[in-house]
Amino acid sequence: MNIYESIYCVQMNDYYEMKHLIQYYRPMVTEIWADIFARKTSTILCEKEEFYRHADLLLYHCIFEFRLDRVMTFSSFYRRCLKNKAYDILRDCMRKQYQTSISLDQKIREDVSSYYGDIKLKDELEVHDIVMDQLMWEYTKNKILNVFGEEYVHVIDLRMEGYTLKYIANELDLTCSKVDFMFKKVKKWITTIDS
């Protein structure tokens, strides 16, 4: 089966091809469901049929989000997106099941536990996670800028968008080895940030 031909057909509103793509990826979807929801726990937090519905909807979105100018294949792209979705579902189920309190930095929690102890996570507070992730990334990016310079920030930005080191090297007019060195340098530095 030529999946790229099927993807093109779906993009051209031939939705009959969706059925073929769903069947083609069903073994991979089942494998991810089993790894995340069945093998590692005695309580299944997301039933297989429910996960299939999430996976099918995600497949449709991935078809329109996938960019051919990346070296990653569509199957790799879909697998990565599906795993992220599975972990999101798992986290959401665990929040609902255990009503976890908002997790704060240890020092802050000790200082202000009386203020935050009664706050429970709800679906509406998922926006909080997104905002906090974005703020944390902006903070980290500013530190990279201050420590290494703007070129390093460009390398990290492009890498996080899924571009290969070769593409980044061509884009920034650098050698592949230089980009690899820059990326590894920042990656090593990030493990020691604020420690």
Side-chain angles (χ1 to χ4, degrees):
M1 174 179 176
N2 185 341
I3 61 166
Y4 293 101
E5 189 176 309
S6 296
I7 288 167
Y8 177 76
C9 290
V10 173
Q11 288 172 339
M12 295 295 109
N13 299 325
D14 180 2
Y15 297 110
Y16 179 75
E17 287 296 324
M18 267 304 288
K19 182 179 176 185
H20 298 302
L21 285 168
I22 288 169
Q23 288 173 345
Y24 178 80
Y25 284 112
R26 191 59 90 215
M28 182 181 83
V29 171
T30 306
E31 176 197 332
I32 290 172
W33 172 82
D35 280 342
I36 295 171
F37 294 103
R39 292 190 188 129
K40 296 178 183 173
T41 179
S42 57
T43 308
I44 295 176
L45 296 174
C46 180
E47 294 299 326
K48 192 189 294 184
E49 292 304 317
E50 182 188 350
F51 188 64
Y52 284 165
R53 287 193 296 275
H54 287 294
D56 297 346
L57 181 62
L58 183 65
L59 176 60
Y60 180 76
H61 287 300
C62 284
I63 286 169
F64 291 95
E65 292 293 322
F66 179 67
R67 289 167 42 181
L68 286 170
D69 59 341
R70 296 183 184 179
V71 173
M72 185 184 299
T73 64
F74 179 80
S75 295
S76 300
F77 176 70
Y78 179 48
R79 176 184 285 275
R80 183 178 292 179
C81 292
L82 190 58
K83 279 191 172 181
N84 289 341
K85 180 69 175 175
Y87 283 118
D88 286 345
I89 294 167
L90 182 64
R91 186 173 59 184
D92 189 49
C93 290
M94 291 180 78
R95 280 182 185 159
K96 287 177 183 170
Q97 187 173 353
Y98 301 113
Q99 288 292 306
T100 313
S101 294
I102 291 176
S103 145
L104 299 172
D105 180 78
Q106 187 63 35
K107 290 177 185 171
I108 297 173
R109 194 180 318 128
E110 288 170 357
D111 296 340
V112 293
S113 58
S114 58
Y115 300 112
Y116 292 100
D118 297 329
I119 298 176
K120 301 293 182 187
L121 279 174
K122 304 218 178 343
D123 290 344
E124 301 90 334
L125 291 180
E126 285 181 9
V127 174
H128 172 270
D129 288 346
I130 296 166
V131 171
M132 290 307 290
D133 286 347
Q134 189 59 38
L135 288 174
M136 191 62 200
W137 171 236
E138 290 301 322
Y139 167 77
T140 306
K141 201 155 57 166
N142 282 334
K143 289 201 88 163
I144 293 169
L145 181 66
N146 292 336
V147 174
F148 298 105
E150 197 171 340
E151 202 168 42
Y152 281 81
V153 174
H154 290 313
V155 168
I156 299 301
D157 270 338
L158 289 169
R159 192 72 179 122
M160 285 185 69
E161 287 177 25
Y163 291 104
T164 61
L165 297 177
K166 186 176 181 181
Y167 176 89
I168 297 168
N170 289 337
E171 192 71 17
L172 301 179
D173 200 25
L174 300 167
T175 64
C176 281
S177 58
K178 173 73 174 172
V179 171
D180 185 46
F181 169 78
M182 291 166 77
F183 182 67
K184 284 179 180 170
K185 188 174 179 182
V186 173
K187 197 173 172 186
K188 185 176 180 183
W189 170 82
I190 264 181
T191 61
T192 63
I193 190 171
D194 291 337
S195 60

